[in-house]
Amino acid sequence: MNTEHPRDRVVIFDTTLRDGEQSPGATMSHAEKLEIAELLDDMGVDVIEAGFPIASEGDFAAVKEIAERSKAAVICGLARANIKDIDRCWEAVRHAGQPRIHTFIGTSPLHRAIPNLTQDEMADRIHDTVTHARNLCDNVQWSPMDATRTEWDYLKRTVEIAIKAGATTINIPDTVGYTAPVESAELIRRLIAEVDGGQDVIFATHCHNDLGMATANSLAAVEGGARQIECTINGLGERAGNTALEEVVMALKVRGDIMPFTTGIDTTKIMNISRRVATVSGFPVQFNKAIVGKNAFAHESGIHQDGMLKNAETFEIMRPADVGLKDTSLVMGKHSGRAALKDKLKNLGFDVADNQLQDIFVRFKALADRKKEVFDEDIEALVRAQGAAEDALELKFLRVICGTEAPQSADLTLRVDGEDHQTTAQGDGPVDATFNAIKSLVTHSARLQLYQVSAVTEGTDAQATVTVRLEEEGRIVTGQSADTDTVVASAKAYISALNRLLVKRRTTAAGVDTKTVGYRDTV
Ligand code: KIV
Ligand code: ZN
């Protein structure tokens, strides 16, 4: 007799493009959203929450095109609890092979106070909106936002109404990251046992990481009976983020002995998508982040290295290759040609058009002239640092005078809408002088929220990756660039953020922006 515990399948619902993208400063372009959706589909994500279609024309267009291009994944859109939101969501997702409408309302006392509805009025609204969604689409998910702070009786009542009205998945969000693992498991267990119809739907868990417990809470919910985990790549998301996809998926894989559940994820694709999301969102991954951090598989201390050489399992519970991590490899030098570069880019997961290849090739040659060894990471940084054809600003020249004597000065030429402008500015250090020069040529009131430098590889000739985040009247944008010269990388990152800001000024003037709709005003 087979005594093995049956390995239940857990649905992986990725919301990088909705809850992740909603996080301030993580805005992605249309093309970037399409690329990430394709990577998610290819890695075996079951459900992709592609956006919030009512939020803006841009969100609508992205969800619609992701739906049209979808392969195996279910494509889901978010809608508040009103008919207009749900109709707009359906308009966008109906193009998918497998569409889903996800509608929600805040059920906790604090959230009920926002639309000022009584419990009965809210119950009626849930009934009407879920019924409407179900008349449009067979696959409907309903969420009581802030479920973990909703009174048990009211939570039970609303979940029952949603199930009767036709919801097929009930998601239980821990919206503010308040719950703990024991509670998370118990809540799902109780819902399945006590709610009328609780056995007939899939319960999902959606956790935020405010207390650093999102992964633990999600796994506990699965223990309690949840069979869908909502998560994002790199844990991207508002405040401290959402549950990280790579963490729950690898935890289930590595600890299958005590958590006998499977997912459909091809884990060897994790590293590549993690890097792409970090790049397009402008949110770098912390070095010691579980699974995808730069140090997650690095063993530098003497004792560790000795143990690793004797037996890798001494300090490794999973192999780097399991998450798609290849050994850092010396790839090419200044004699490598365009075809070799194209081939290398393909191996690294970049499918570049011919005009992009030409631009990357020119910059690769310049880098190979300056840097002795060019690694995979250098090539990736070159692709990430590529400007877009529609960029209004481009750095043409920069020379900085710096040293022990203050003030430092920067002589800079910037191409603005095709015309070159030159200026000289001083500052407290070379980066400050450079930023002052840029500011004097591009008038803006944006505040610098983040300036971060990290080395792409080892050595004093390593490229520096610089991230710059700017905030102007509530609009938050992030720019990133890499160069062997830290000041040049800083200038380019600042200019890249300004290019994004210019686009954002146009789109937010023309329509409503995702960040200004505020999905928390629920009606
Ligand atoms: O955190 C949350 O409550 C959400 C809902 C919209 C599901 O993201
Ligand atoms: Zn959320």
Side-chain angles (χ1 to χ4, degrees):
M1 194 180 75
N2 185 357
T3 52
E4 251 179 40
H5 199 296
R7 291 175 68 87
D8 265 340
R9 176 75 154 73
V10 173
V11 170
I12 296 296
F13 175 109
D14 181 278
T15 183
T16 306
L17 296 172
R18 199 279 297 169
D19 222 347
E21 209 257 351
Q22 211 162 292
S23 124
T27 315
M28 300 174 200
S29 71
H30 184 83
E32 288 164 347
K33 288 181 189 172
L34 297 186
E35 183 200 340
I36 299 299
E38 190 174 356
L39 292 174
L40 291 169
D41 211 336
D42 289 346
M43 88 184 294
V45 161
D46 300 288
V47 188
I48 299 173
E49 188 163 52
F52 188 8
I54 195 88
S56 69
E57 290 301 326
D59 263 47
F60 178 84
V63 178
K64 180 167 178 276
E65 198 165 343
I66 289 169
E68 283 163 353
R69 291 172 174 227
S70 60
K71 299 172 196 162
V74 172
I75 304 300
C76 173
L78 185 68
R80 290 169 297 184
N82 67 67
I83 303 299
K84 219 169 135 207
D85 268 42
I86 292 170
D87 286 347
R88 189 74 175 144
C89 178
W90 175 239
E91 248 330 282
V93 295
R94 73 186 173 85
H95 305 274
Q98 302 178 76
R100 176 184 290 190
I101 297 174
H102 176 193
T103 179
F104 74 99
I105 196 161
T107 49
S108 68
L110 281 167
H111 282 267
R112 288 201 301 267
I114 300 171
N116 202 15
L117 294 178
T118 63
Q119 290 198 0
D120 288 345
E121 284 165 345
M122 185 171 280
D124 287 345
R125 186 181 291 259
I126 294 164
H127 171 267
D128 295 349
T129 49
V130 175
T131 305
H132 183 70
R134 187 56 208 264
N135 285 337
L136 296 171
C137 182
D138 283 349
N139 191 337
V140 173
Q141 171 166 328
W142 181 74
S143 296
M145 186 163 71
D146 206 14
T148 53
R149 294 191 302 167
T150 301
E151 311 91 317
W152 165 254
D153 288 344
Y154 193 57
L155 181 65
K156 177 173 179 288
R157 177 176 168 201
T158 54
V159 169
E160 279 171 352
I161 291 169
I163 293 175
K164 279 208 188 84
T168 42
T169 299
I170 300 291
N171 175 39
I172 301 298
D174 182 30
T175 306
V176 292
Y178 177 73
T179 202
V182 273
E183 274 179 0
S184 181
E186 186 48 30
L187 183 57
I188 300 286
R189 209 170 275 131
R190 205 168 165 202
L191 283 163
I192 294 174
E194 295 183 32
V195 155
D196 263 355
Q199 316 271 340
D200 310 328
V201 292
I202 293 213
F203 276 91
T205 176
H206 175 113
C207 299
H208 282 264
N209 204 28
D210 299 66
L211 292 172
M213 294 194 282
T215 295
N217 287 335
S218 303
L219 295 171
V222 170
E223 287 292 340
R227 287 297 176 267
Q228 174 175 299
I229 298 181
E230 307 210 352
C231 46
T232 60
I233 302 291
N234 298 340
L236 191 68
E238 284 196 83
R239 309 184 309 278
N242 289 57
T243 300
L245 178 146
E246 62 278 7
E247 293 179 15
V248 284
V249 166
M250 288 312 290
L252 292 177
K253 187 175 164 119
V254 173
R255 296 311 311 272
D257 55 331
I258 54 161
M259 293 182 282
F261 308 101
T262 56
T263 72
I265 300 295
D266 174 354
T267 62
T268 63
K269 301 211 158 128
I270 285 179
M271 217 54 221
N272 182 41
I273 194 164
S274 161
R275 288 184 180 147
R276 291 303 293 146
V277 167
T279 299
V280 301
S281 67
F283 276 56
V285 175
Q286 80 192 51
F287 280 13
N288 58 342
K289 162 88 180 60
I291 318 293
V292 290
K294 203 177 156 87
N295 288 357
F297 292 92
H299 299 272
E300 276 188 32
S301 87
I303 298 177
H304 282 212
Q305 282 185 353
D306 185 48
M308 287 291 295
L309 289 174
K310 289 185 181 121
N311 179 356
E313 280 180 26
T314 322
F315 286 102
E316 263 179 13
I317 54 168
M318 44 197 160
R319 285 169 303 152
D322 294 344
V323 298
L325 193 70
K326 291 168 231 99
D327 282 345
T328 299
S329 58
L330 175 60
V331 286
M332 297 191 300
K334 59 180 171 186
H335 301 298
S336 309
R338 208 181 312 256
L341 179 65
K342 190 168 184 182
D343 194 50
K344 173 50 80 182
L345 288 169
K346 206 163 161 245
N347 285 338
L348 290 173
F350 297 106
D351 194 7
V352 295
D354 282 351
N355 59 336
Q356 279 177 297
L357 177 67
Q358 177 55 23
D359 176 57
I360 298 167
F361 186 64
V362 170
R363 289 184 299 119
F364 161 71
K365 283 285 184 192
L367 180 67
D369 271 342
R370 280 181 288 155
K371 202 170 179 295
K372 282 198 299 290
E373 298 168 316
V374 180
F375 296 92
D376 284 359
E377 290 88 337
D378 290 313
I379 305 267
E380 282 171 357
L382 277 184
V383 182
R384 279 183 233 133
Q386 204 180 17
E390 64 276 13
D391 283 352
L393 313 172
E394 188 192 346
L395 180 70
K396 297 309 288 182
F397 175 82
L398 174 64
R399 184 187 297 125
V400 175
I401 300 174
C402 63
T404 49
E405 303 280 303
Q408 283 72 29
S409 76
D411 182 7
L412 179 135
T413 305
L414 192 65
R415 184 160 290 177
V416 184
D417 286 328
E419 213 176 287
D420 287 355
H421 297 264
Q422 190 275 331
T423 191
T424 303
Q426 295 190 330
D428 188 4
V431 174
D432 192 45
T434 304
F435 283 17
N436 286 341
I438 296 169
K439 270 186 233 160
S440 73
L441 293 176
V442 188
T443 326
H444 63 276
S445 57
R447 212 170 47 83
L448 183 68
Q449 274 198 336
L450 174 90
Y451 170 72
Q452 186 171 294
V453 185
S454 61
V456 174
T457 52
E458 278 83 46
T460 50
D461 68 347
Q463 291 195 91
T465 292
V466 176
T467 307
V468 166
R469 189 177 309 149
L470 301 175
E471 188 268 337
E472 185 192 71
E473 292 170 14
R475 302 180 187 100
I476 302 178
V477 287
T478 309
Q480 220 178 51
S481 194
D483 199 281
T484 48
D485 184 321
T486 310
V487 185
V488 172
S490 304
K492 286 184 179 167
Y494 191 18
I495 291 165
S496 154
L498 285 174
N499 275 319
R500 286 182 172 225
L501 187 63
L502 296 178
V503 172
K504 205 149 195 210
R505 273 187 196 159
R506 283 202 302 274
T507 52
T508 45
V512 198
D513 186 62
T514 318
K515 314 301 180 287
T516 56
V517 165
Y519 74 101
R520 299 196 192 292
D521 58 310
T522 46
V523 285

